Amino acid sequence: MTNQPSTGPSNPELGRHESDVISPMEAHGSYRGSDWSPERLMFHQNLESFADQVGLIVGLQANGKMSQDEAYAKIKKIWKGLKFTRDSLFDTSNG
């Protein structure tokens, strides 16, 4: 008896195999807003990236690899980056 890797998708709904790797440059989900624009798509991707980074930071902090103060500072820094991106993509001066 040999252990052979599965040849079918691990999640047939997604059509992905266990060995498939998603590029960090790929959006995880698609933007389905009725107000679609290239700027909104870019912000959506930046928002997903922000969420991924926060998840990693929280995991590092929870496992004792980073202090709470360090985690807070890093999240605050990437939050400012996300805010800058939003402000540069959209006219937020009107409220």
Side-chain angles (χ1 to χ4, degrees):
M1 223 177 188
T2 61
N3 289 336
Q4 295 182 0
S6 170
T7 57
S10 60
N11 188 341
E13 293 176 6
L14 298 177
R16 293 200 181 269
H17 295 275
E18 290 177 11
S19 62
D20 287 351
V21 176
I22 299 172
S23 166
M25 300 304 288
E26 241 182 278
H28 299 283
S30 57
Y31 178 74
R32 297 190 176 138
S34 59
D35 53 352
W36 186 93
S37 70
E39 294 82 8
R40 291 194 179 278
L41 176 62
M42 180 177 282
F43 182 71
H44 174 77
Q45 290 173 335
N46 289 340
L47 190 58
E48 285 184 335
S49 176
F50 171 79
D52 289 344
Q53 290 176 51
V54 168
L56 289 171
I57 292 167
V58 168
L60 288 169
Q61 190 279 318
N63 286 304
K65 305 293 182 185
M66 182 183 297
S67 72
Q68 286 182 339
D69 291 336
E70 288 174 301
Y72 176 80
K74 287 184 182 291
I75 291 171
K76 186 175 179 181
K77 181 179 178 183
I78 61 174
W79 173 256
K80 286 182 180 183
L82 181 66
K83 186 176 182 318
F84 175 80
T85 300
R86 186 199 61 184
D87 292 347
S88 66
L89 289 171
F90 307 109
D91 180 18
T92 57
S93 61
N94 293 334

